[in-house]
Amino acid sequence: MRAVVPGSFDPITNGHLDVIRRARVIFDEVVVAVGANSSKRYLFEPAERLALVREATADIEGVTVEPLSGLLVDFCRIHDVGAVVKGARAATDFDFEVGMARMNHSLTGIETVILPAAAQWSYVSSTLVREVATLGGDVAPYVPAVVAQRLATRRAHD
Ligand code: PNS
C-alpha cells in the first residue's frame, strides 16, 4: 500500500525525516505531500519547501515528493494513497492530529496512522528551528544538511 506523509515542512527537520523513514518501513511506498495550513505564515515559499524536502529525501528508496494544494483526501484519491501517516510529539500534537484524522475519515473513509515522535526529536519543531536559525543559533543538529545550508545562506542575505 502507498501512504502519504503530509505537512508544511517549513523547513523539513530530522523529526520529519524520521517519521518518513518509519512510514516507509510500514508501507511499500511513501509520498511526501508538501502543503500549507491556511492559518500559518511561512518562512519558505512552497517551491522552496518542496525542493528542500526532495533533496533531503533523495536517498530514501520508495519515497517521492509532491505538492499538496486542496484537500488531502483528494490528493489521496489522485495519487492512489491508502493511508495517511503523521507524527505526534506530545498530547497537543495528538489532539490536533486526531481531529484531522477524524475529519479525513469522515470525508472518504481514509485511515490515519499516528506515529509517536522519536524521543530524540521530541523537542524539535519547524517553528523552533526557524526561531533559533533566524536569531543566529546553530540548527545543524536538528535538520538535514541542505536545510542548515539554506538557512545559513538566507540569514547571510536577509
Ligand atoms: O505541517 P502541518 O502544519 O501539520 O501540515 C498541515 C497539513 C498541510 C498537513 C494540513 O493542513 C492539511 O492536510 N492540509 C490540506 C487541506 C486539508 O485537507 N484540510 C483538511 C484537513 S482535515
Side-chain angles (χ1 to χ4, degrees), residues 104-146:
N104 286 329
H105 187 263
S106 163
L107 289 170
T108 62
I110 192 132
E111 294 290 3
T112 296
V113 175
I114 301 179
L115 295 179
Q120 185 189 0
W121 307 120
S122 60
Y123 60 95
V124 175
S125 65
S126 297
T127 307
L128 290 181
V129 162
R130 288 197 303 273
E131 166 130 350
V132 171
T134 49
L135 295 174
D138 179 16
V139 293
Y142 320 117
V143 294
V146 281

Short mmCIF file of all heavy atoms in Angstrom, two decimals, residues 104-146:
data_model
loop_
_atom_site.label_atom_id
_atom_site.label_comp_id
_atom_site.label_asym_id
_atom_site.label_seq_id
_atom_site.Cartn_x
_atom_site.Cartn_y
_atom_site.Cartn_z
N ASN A 104 -10.84 13.61 8.03
CA ASN A 104 -10.46 12.93 6.79
C ASN A 104 -11.19 11.59 6.65
O ASN A 104 -11.64 11.22 5.56
CB ASN A 104 -8.94 12.75 6.72
CG ASN A 104 -8.23 14.06 6.42
OD1 ASN A 104 -8.78 14.93 5.74
ND2 ASN A 104 -7.04 14.22 6.95
N HIS A 105 -11.32 10.87 7.77
CA HIS A 105 -12.02 9.58 7.73
C HIS A 105 -13.48 9.78 7.39
O HIS A 105 -14.08 9.04 6.61
CB HIS A 105 -11.87 8.86 9.07
CG HIS A 105 -12.42 7.47 9.03
ND1 HIS A 105 -13.68 7.15 9.47
CD2 HIS A 105 -11.88 6.32 8.56
CE1 HIS A 105 -13.89 5.85 9.27
NE2 HIS A 105 -12.82 5.33 8.73
N SER A 106 -14.06 10.83 7.95
CA SER A 106 -15.46 11.13 7.69
C SER A 106 -15.67 11.49 6.22
O SER A 106 -16.68 11.12 5.61
CB SER A 106 -15.91 12.27 8.61
OG SER A 106 -17.08 12.85 8.14
N LEU A 107 -14.68 12.20 5.62
CA LEU A 107 -14.83 12.65 4.22
C LEU A 107 -14.79 11.48 3.24
O LEU A 107 -15.62 11.41 2.34
CB LEU A 107 -13.74 13.67 3.88
CG LEU A 107 -13.86 15.06 4.54
CD1 LEU A 107 -12.60 15.87 4.32
CD2 LEU A 107 -15.07 15.82 4.01
N THR A 108 -13.83 10.57 3.40
CA THR A 108 -13.68 9.49 2.39
C THR A 108 -13.44 8.11 2.97
O THR A 108 -13.27 7.15 2.22
CB THR A 108 -12.50 9.79 1.44
OG1 THR A 108 -11.30 9.82 2.22
CG2 THR A 108 -12.67 11.08 0.69
N GLY A 109 -13.31 8.02 4.29
CA GLY A 109 -13.01 6.71 4.89
C GLY A 109 -11.53 6.43 5.00
O GLY A 109 -11.15 5.34 5.45
N ILE A 110 -10.68 7.37 4.62
CA ILE A 110 -9.22 7.12 4.70
C ILE A 110 -8.78 7.04 6.16
O ILE A 110 -9.27 7.79 7.00
CB ILE A 110 -8.42 8.20 3.92
CG1 ILE A 110 -6.96 7.73 3.77
CG2 ILE A 110 -8.44 9.56 4.63
CD1 ILE A 110 -6.42 7.86 2.40
N GLU A 111 -7.85 6.11 6.42
CA GLU A 111 -7.34 5.93 7.79
C GLU A 111 -6.05 6.72 7.98
O GLU A 111 -5.29 6.95 7.03
CB GLU A 111 -7.05 4.45 8.06
CG GLU A 111 -8.28 3.57 8.07
CD GLU A 111 -9.19 3.80 9.28
OE1 GLU A 111 -8.91 4.69 10.10
OE2 GLU A 111 -10.21 3.10 9.39
N THR A 112 -5.78 7.11 9.23
CA THR A 112 -4.54 7.80 9.58
C THR A 112 -3.79 6.99 10.63
O THR A 112 -4.38 6.52 11.60
CB THR A 112 -4.85 9.20 10.15
OG1 THR A 112 -5.47 9.99 9.12
CG2 THR A 112 -3.58 9.91 10.61
N VAL A 113 -2.49 6.82 10.39
CA VAL A 113 -1.61 6.16 11.36
C VAL A 113 -0.79 7.27 12.03
O VAL A 113 -0.12 8.04 11.34
CB VAL A 113 -0.65 5.17 10.65
CG1 VAL A 113 0.36 4.59 11.62
CG2 VAL A 113 -1.45 4.08 9.95
N ILE A 114 -0.89 7.37 13.35
CA ILE A 114 -0.15 8.41 14.07
C ILE A 114 1.05 7.76 14.76
O ILE A 114 0.88 6.89 15.61
CB ILE A 114 -1.05 9.15 15.08
CG1 ILE A 114 -2.23 9.78 14.35
CG2 ILE A 114 -0.24 10.22 15.84
CD1 ILE A 114 -3.21 10.52 15.25
N LEU A 115 2.25 8.17 14.35
CA LEU A 115 3.47 7.60 14.94
C LEU A 115 3.98 8.52 16.04
O LEU A 115 4.09 9.73 15.83
CB LEU A 115 4.56 7.47 13.87
CG LEU A 115 4.32 6.50 12.73
CD1 LEU A 115 5.51 6.53 11.75
CD2 LEU A 115 4.12 5.08 13.26
N PRO A 116 4.32 7.96 17.22
CA PRO A 116 4.91 8.80 18.25
C PRO A 116 6.29 9.26 17.80
O PRO A 116 7.10 8.45 17.34
CB PRO A 116 5.00 7.87 19.47
CG PRO A 116 4.94 6.49 18.93
CD PRO A 116 4.22 6.54 17.62
N ALA A 117 6.56 10.55 17.92
CA ALA A 117 7.88 11.07 17.52
C ALA A 117 8.95 10.38 18.35
O ALA A 117 8.74 10.09 19.54
CB ALA A 117 7.93 12.57 17.74
N ALA A 118 10.10 10.14 17.72
CA ALA A 118 11.23 9.57 18.45
C ALA A 118 11.61 10.52 19.58
O ALA A 118 11.59 11.74 19.39
CB ALA A 118 12.41 9.39 17.50
N ALA A 119 11.95 9.97 20.76
CA ALA A 119 12.30 10.80 21.91
C ALA A 119 13.40 11.80 21.54
O ALA A 119 13.38 12.96 21.96
CB ALA A 119 12.75 9.91 23.07
N GLN A 120 14.33 11.34 20.70
CA GLN A 120 15.47 12.18 20.29
C GLN A 120 15.03 13.48 19.61
O GLN A 120 15.71 14.50 19.70
CB GLN A 120 16.34 11.35 19.33
CG GLN A 120 17.63 12.02 18.92
CD GLN A 120 18.33 11.26 17.80
OE1 GLN A 120 17.83 10.21 17.33
NE2 GLN A 120 19.45 11.79 17.37
N TRP A 121 13.89 13.42 18.92
CA TRP A 121 13.44 14.59 18.16
C TRP A 121 12.19 15.22 18.76
O TRP A 121 11.55 16.06 18.13
CB TRP A 121 13.18 14.22 16.70
CG TRP A 121 14.32 13.52 16.03
CD1 TRP A 121 14.32 12.29 15.48
CD2 TRP A 121 15.66 14.04 15.85
NE1 TRP A 121 15.56 11.98 14.97
CE2 TRP A 121 16.40 13.05 15.18
CE3 TRP A 121 16.30 15.24 16.19
CZ2 TRP A 121 17.74 13.20 14.84
CZ3 TRP A 121 17.63 15.41 15.85
CH2 TRP A 121 18.33 14.41 15.20
N SER A 122 11.82 14.82 19.97
CA SER A 122 10.52 15.22 20.51
C SER A 122 10.42 16.72 20.78
O SER A 122 9.32 17.25 20.88
CB SER A 122 10.22 14.43 21.79
OG SER A 122 11.22 14.69 22.73
N TYR A 123 11.55 17.41 20.90
CA TYR A 123 11.51 18.86 21.15
C TYR A 123 11.82 19.66 19.89
O TYR A 123 11.92 20.89 19.94
CB TYR A 123 12.50 19.23 22.27
CG TYR A 123 13.92 18.85 21.92
CD1 TYR A 123 14.77 19.79 21.34
CD2 TYR A 123 14.38 17.56 22.11
CE1 TYR A 123 16.06 19.44 20.98
CE2 TYR A 123 15.66 17.20 21.75
CZ TYR A 123 16.50 18.15 21.19
OH TYR A 123 17.77 17.80 20.81
N VAL A 124 11.99 18.97 18.77
CA VAL A 124 12.37 19.65 17.53
C VAL A 124 11.12 19.93 16.69
O VAL A 124 10.40 19.00 16.32
CB VAL A 124 13.37 18.80 16.72
CG1 VAL A 124 13.67 19.46 15.38
CG2 VAL A 124 14.64 18.58 17.52
N SER A 125 10.86 21.20 16.42
CA SER A 125 9.75 21.58 15.55
C SER A 125 10.28 22.58 14.52
O SER A 125 11.29 23.25 14.76
CB SER A 125 8.63 22.24 16.36
OG SER A 125 9.09 23.46 16.91
N SER A 126 9.57 22.68 13.40
CA SER A 126 9.97 23.67 12.38
C SER A 126 9.94 25.07 12.98
O SER A 126 10.80 25.91 12.69
CB SER A 126 9.03 23.60 11.18
OG SER A 126 9.11 22.34 10.56
N THR A 127 8.95 25.33 13.83
CA THR A 127 8.81 26.67 14.45
C THR A 127 10.06 27.01 15.27
O THR A 127 10.62 28.11 15.12
CB THR A 127 7.57 26.69 15.36
OG1 THR A 127 6.45 26.24 14.60
CG2 THR A 127 7.30 28.09 15.90
N LEU A 128 10.51 26.08 16.12
CA LEU A 128 11.69 26.36 16.95
C LEU A 128 12.96 26.43 16.11
O LEU A 128 13.85 27.25 16.37
CB LEU A 128 11.83 25.31 18.06
CG LEU A 128 10.76 25.39 19.16
CD1 LEU A 128 11.01 24.32 20.23
CD2 LEU A 128 10.70 26.77 19.81
N VAL A 129 13.04 25.59 15.07
CA VAL A 129 14.20 25.64 14.18
C VAL A 129 14.27 27.01 13.50
O VAL A 129 15.34 27.64 13.44
CB VAL A 129 14.12 24.50 13.13
CG1 VAL A 129 15.05 24.77 11.95
CG2 VAL A 129 14.44 23.16 13.78
N ARG A 130 13.13 27.51 13.03
CA ARG A 130 13.11 28.85 12.38
C ARG A 130 13.55 29.91 13.37
O ARG A 130 14.34 30.80 13.04
CB ARG A 130 11.70 29.18 11.88
CG ARG A 130 11.24 28.40 10.69
CD ARG A 130 10.04 29.07 10.03
NE ARG A 130 8.92 29.26 10.93
CZ ARG A 130 7.97 28.37 11.17
NH1 ARG A 130 8.02 27.18 10.57
NH2 ARG A 130 6.97 28.63 11.98
N GLU A 131 13.04 29.84 14.60
CA GLU A 131 13.37 30.85 15.61
C GLU A 131 14.87 30.83 15.93
O GLU A 131 15.53 31.87 15.94
CB GLU A 131 12.55 30.59 16.88
CG GLU A 131 13.06 31.37 18.07
CD GLU A 131 11.99 32.13 18.81
OE1 GLU A 131 10.87 32.24 18.31
OE2 GLU A 131 12.32 32.61 19.91
N VAL A 132 15.40 29.63 16.20
CA VAL A 132 16.83 29.52 16.54
C VAL A 132 17.68 30.01 15.36
O VAL A 132 18.63 30.79 15.54
CB VAL A 132 17.18 28.06 16.93
CG1 VAL A 132 18.69 27.89 17.07
CG2 VAL A 132 16.47 27.67 18.23
N ALA A 133 17.30 29.58 14.13
CA ALA A 133 18.11 29.95 12.96
C ALA A 133 18.07 31.44 12.70
O ALA A 133 19.10 32.06 12.44
CB ALA A 133 17.61 29.18 11.74
N THR A 134 16.88 32.04 12.79
CA THR A 134 16.79 33.47 12.43
C THR A 134 17.47 34.34 13.49
O THR A 134 17.88 35.45 13.20
CB THR A 134 15.33 33.93 12.21
OG1 THR A 134 14.54 33.50 13.30
CG2 THR A 134 14.76 33.38 10.94
N LEU A 135 17.65 33.80 14.71
CA LEU A 135 18.34 34.57 15.75
C LEU A 135 19.83 34.20 15.84
O LEU A 135 20.51 34.57 16.79
CB LEU A 135 17.64 34.39 17.10
CG LEU A 135 16.20 34.95 17.14
CD1 LEU A 135 15.53 34.61 18.46
CD2 LEU A 135 16.20 36.46 16.92
N GLY A 136 20.30 33.43 14.86
CA GLY A 136 21.74 33.18 14.75
C GLY A 136 22.25 31.92 15.41
O GLY A 136 23.47 31.72 15.50
N GLY A 137 21.36 31.05 15.91
CA GLY A 137 21.80 29.80 16.54
C GLY A 137 22.11 28.73 15.51
O GLY A 137 21.73 28.85 14.34
N ASP A 138 22.81 27.70 15.95
CA ASP A 138 23.20 26.60 15.06
C ASP A 138 22.12 25.52 15.07
O ASP A 138 21.89 24.88 16.10
CB ASP A 138 24.53 26.01 15.54
CG ASP A 138 24.98 24.85 14.68
OD1 ASP A 138 24.44 24.69 13.56
OD2 ASP A 138 25.86 24.09 15.13
N VAL A 139 21.48 25.31 13.92
CA VAL A 139 20.41 24.32 13.86
C VAL A 139 20.86 23.02 13.17
O VAL A 139 20.05 22.12 12.95
CB VAL A 139 19.14 24.87 13.16
CG1 VAL A 139 18.50 25.95 13.99
CG2 VAL A 139 19.45 25.36 11.75
N ALA A 140 22.15 22.94 12.87
CA ALA A 140 22.67 21.76 12.14
C ALA A 140 22.30 20.42 12.80
O ALA A 140 22.05 19.44 12.09
CB ALA A 140 24.17 21.86 11.95
N PRO A 141 22.23 20.32 14.15
CA PRO A 141 21.88 19.02 14.72
C PRO A 141 20.43 18.59 14.49
O PRO A 141 20.10 17.43 14.70
CB PRO A 141 22.11 19.22 16.23
CG PRO A 141 22.95 20.44 16.35
CD PRO A 141 22.61 21.30 15.18
N TYR A 142 19.58 19.52 14.08
CA TYR A 142 18.13 19.24 14.05
C TYR A 142 17.53 19.11 12.66
O TYR A 142 16.36 18.75 12.53
CB TYR A 142 17.37 20.35 14.79
CG TYR A 142 18.07 20.79 16.05
CD1 TYR A 142 18.54 22.09 16.19
CD2 TYR A 142 18.28 19.88 17.08
CE1 TYR A 142 19.21 22.48 17.33
CE2 TYR A 142 18.95 20.27 18.22
CZ TYR A 142 19.42 21.56 18.34
OH TYR A 142 20.09 21.94 19.47
N VAL A 143 18.32 19.46 11.64
CA VAL A 143 17.77 19.48 10.28
C VAL A 143 18.73 18.81 9.31
O VAL A 143 19.93 18.71 9.60
CB VAL A 143 17.50 20.94 9.79
CG1 VAL A 143 16.39 21.59 10.61
CG2 VAL A 143 18.77 21.77 9.82
N PRO A 144 18.22 18.35 8.13
CA PRO A 144 19.12 17.81 7.11
C PRO A 144 20.13 18.89 6.68
O PRO A 144 19.82 20.09 6.76
CB PRO A 144 18.19 17.45 5.95
CG PRO A 144 16.81 17.43 6.51
CD PRO A 144 16.81 18.32 7.70
N ALA A 145 21.30 18.44 6.20
CA ALA A 145 22.37 19.38 5.85
C ALA A 145 21.92 20.44 4.83
O ALA A 145 22.26 21.62 4.97
CB ALA A 145 23.56 18.60 5.30
N VAL A 146 21.10 20.05 3.84
CA VAL A 146 20.65 21.02 2.83
C VAL A 146 19.85 22.16 3.47
O VAL A 146 19.94 23.31 3.05
CB VAL A 146 19.77 20.39 1.71
CG1 VAL A 146 20.60 19.68 0.69
CG2 VAL A 146 18.66 19.55 2.25
#
